[in-house]
Amino acid sequence: MVSSLESLVGTTRNLVTEIPGPKSRALHERRKAVVSAGLTQGFPVYIERAEGAILVDVDGNRLLDLGSGIAVTTIGHAVPELIDAVSQQVAAFTHTCFMVTPYESYVAVCEELANLTPGSHAKTSALFNSGSEAVENAVKIARLATGRQAIVVFDHAYHGRTNLTLALTAKNMPYKDRFGPFAPEIYRVPMSYPYHDGLSGAEAAARAIKIIETQVGAKNVAALLIEPIQGEGGFIVPADGFLPALSQWTTENGAVFIADEIQSGFCRTGDWFAVDHEGVIPDIVATAKGLAGGMPLAAVTGRVELMNQVHEGGLGGTYGGNPVAAVAALATIKTLRDRNLAARARELEGIMLTSLRSLQKDVAIIGDVRGRGAMIAFELVQPGTKDANATAAKSIVNFCNQNGVVAIVCGTYGNVIRLLPPLVITDEQLHDGLSVIAAAVRAAG
Ligand SMILES: *Cc1c(COP(=O)(O)O)cnc(C)c1O
């Protein structure tokens, strides 16, 4: 079996060519002729194999992965349980379409989701292929169940790139620019952003609620949709009390509270879900990224009385809950549970926050260090101000890449660097990555 092989990869960062190496450069030339120029060109090293927190490129360079493919490979690369489950499922059958002839793994994933998502109430789920698709379906369900249309979203939000989710996403460039018209009945209100607004959670919630009540009307709101910790928008952690106050407002006003846990879910923040930290119980939870260890799978999980109002045939899709992705999710959830990776995320938080906060004291360009669990970021500013410093962010990521560390930029102003290591990263690997980041920050400062 694949799972019994010795490590083929090695556990340390190691560069054997210039970055990118000659084989990666040749592949990049091939790409230019046939791959759409509309796709972001990130770090142009082409990957051949991966294990744990290490990626190996086609030139034999070993890179340290502090991005997890954007919070997807939370359990690490090449996890034996996942390889076995997927291999066996591929040999058994790869597709029937759950709506045509069903299979057990889909049901088992929905059982896990009902148990793991917050709240002990009865829940049902529907499975999809991408985070965007999950968010779209959460909105459809909330509208149908409430008979209302307005959807409230927040500044800095990211909910996807399909047409409806682009309307929900905040940032124009590069996501929305000239792709409109966008769907109607979407209303945006201010987020709690403690570093910039200085408001308590209660104050920020009151500000948002006042706008909702005056500009939308409470009785028109089908759902309030929020990332409990914003991802693409800059790893913005709202002030304590913000999410509970909003959740309470939705309950009092007959609106649905939808948590977009697509980036923050599945132990990433040190709990199964980011809302768990404040005991918030959403009516509907959208999940994807960390759910299936790299296989495409997404889910909408919600209160049975909302979910089951939808008529038969109202939800679905050809590939949603594909059997290979479903068994990958079961193996991923089992791995998160068996290895207690939520606790590991909290340990990683300690290591990253300590290191970045001590670095912050030495340099003038780190304005804020924040995050929870293994979802940590630092915001780069012009010295002596809180003004965005996207140039520093670019040069830090470039320095990291040149030294074989994968780190990703985010933030509405492109000035936040996010760290999303796989939860199986070792202390040695993480310290190594943080030392490269420290050197990069000093060079940029
Ligand atoms: C990535 C992401 C999405 C979109 O997921 P896709 O699978 O890329 O469609 C939606 N919401 C959040 C919070 C995300 O991080």
Side-chain angles (χ1 to χ4, degrees):
M1 290 301 296
V2 185
S3 56
S4 63
L5 286 181
E6 296 284 300
S7 168
L8 296 166
V9 165
T11 58
T12 53
R13 181 171 60 93
N14 185 41
L15 303 184
V16 296
T17 69
E18 72 278 16
I19 300 291
K23 289 183 180 165
S24 278
R25 289 203 303 273
L27 283 169
H28 208 63
E29 285 310 308
R30 267 174 66 192
R31 164 189 175 140
K32 281 184 194 157
V34 291
V35 177
S36 165
L39 292 153
T40 300
Q41 304 195 17
F43 179 11
V45 287
Y46 286 71
I47 303 305
E48 195 166 74
R49 176 176 278 283
E51 194 176 295
I54 298 288
L55 303 170
V56 185
D57 77 8
V58 287
D59 293 289
N61 297 297
R62 291 205 300 262
L63 313 157
L64 182 64
D65 185 5
L66 298 185
S68 301
I70 317 188
V72 170
T73 51
T74 304
I75 60 171
H77 299 281
V79 175
E81 294 91 321
L82 188 134
I83 297 171
D84 287 350
V86 166
S87 310
Q88 284 171 26
Q89 183 58 49
V90 167
F93 65 96
T94 55
H95 178 82
T96 62
C97 186
F98 189 75
M99 300 177 296
V100 177
T101 47
Y103 39 89
E104 181 183 353
S105 53
Y106 191 115
V107 179
V109 171
C110 297
E111 287 169 346
E112 289 282 19
L113 289 164
N115 288 327
L116 293 172
T117 53
S120 55
H121 52 279
K123 300 165 202 154
T124 62
S125 294
L127 304 184
F128 302 97
N129 304 295
S130 70
S132 304
E133 212 187 335
V135 171
E136 292 230 4
N137 280 281
V139 168
K140 280 165 60 176
I141 294 161
R143 283 178 167 159
L144 182 148
T146 59
R148 303 174 179 182
Q149 295 188 349
I151 305 295
V152 175
V153 291
F154 290 80
D155 285 337
H156 311 287
Y158 182 86
H159 297 293
R161 292 175 180 265
T162 55
N163 184 271
L164 174 58
T165 58
L166 279 180
L168 303 165
T169 288
K171 188 173 172 176
N172 180 51
M173 274 302 274
Y175 306 126
K176 303 172 75 159
D177 197 58
R178 291 167 290 158
F179 290 134
F182 301 114
E185 287 305 309
I186 311 289
Y187 299 89
R188 193 171 307 284
V189 299
M191 179 65 180
S192 165
Y193 195 160
Y195 174 60
H196 285 285
D197 65 25
L199 300 179
S200 71
E203 290 163 346
R207 175 177 65 178
I209 288 166
K210 192 171 171 196
I211 295 174
I212 298 168
E213 290 182 342
T214 55
Q215 298 185 18
V216 190
K219 68 177 190 317
N220 298 320
V221 177
L224 194 150
L225 167 65
I226 190 163
E227 300 158 84
I229 297 179
Q230 288 183 321
E232 306 303 303
F235 280 28
I236 301 164
V237 186
D240 279 352
F242 182 70
L243 296 172
L246 294 176
S247 163
Q248 193 189 336
W249 183 89
T250 57
T251 305
E252 289 167 2
N253 289 281
V256 176
F257 185 97
I258 306 173
D260 179 347
E261 290 263 9
I262 288 166
Q263 192 156 160
S264 56
F266 289 97
C267 301
R268 175 53 58 187
T269 65
D271 277 304
W272 280 98
F273 297 95
V275 287
D276 289 333
H277 185 79
E278 287 195 274
V280 169
I281 299 182
D283 301 306
I284 293 179
V285 183
T287 54
K289 293 189 167 94
L291 166 61
M295 297 301 292
L297 188 68
V300 177
T301 303
R303 292 183 187 278
V304 66
E305 63 272 23
L306 298 174
M307 298 293 293
N308 287 10
Q309 279 188 51
V310 180
H311 47 277
E312 184 178 340
L315 302 176
T318 306
Y319 296 109
N322 169 274
V324 182
V327 298
L330 296 174
T332 300
I333 291 167
K334 185 173 187 311
T335 302
L336 291 167
R337 194 185 276 130
D338 290 353
R339 300 195 197 172
N340 197 7
L341 291 177
R344 181 62 182 155
R346 296 193 290 271
E347 289 172 8
L348 299 176
E349 169 184 322
I351 296 172
M352 289 190 276
L353 288 181
T354 305
S355 162
L356 293 170
R357 290 199 169 130
S358 98
L359 177 64
Q360 183 183 18
K361 293 201 184 83
D362 290 355
V363 298
I365 56 170
I366 297 184
D368 193 30
V369 175
R370 59 175 176 256
R372 192 173 294 143
M375 185 171 182
I376 300 293
F378 53 101
E379 180 166 337
L380 295 152
V381 294
Q382 308 291 344
T385 74
K386 291 186 178 181
D387 298 343
N389 190 344
T391 314
K394 262 202 203 93
S395 80
I396 290 164
V397 164
N398 191 39
F399 183 108
C400 286
N401 291 350
Q402 288 306 311
N403 287 279
V405 173
V406 180
I408 331 174
V409 170
C410 63
T412 299
Y413 310 105
N415 65 323
V416 179
I417 292 179
R418 55 174 146 177
L419 306 182
L420 290 163
L423 304 183
V424 296
I425 194 171
T426 65
D427 285 10
E428 296 69 33
Q429 288 170 333
L430 185 56
H431 284 298
D432 173 49
L434 289 166
S435 72
V436 173
I437 287 169
V441 170
R442 288 179 205 284

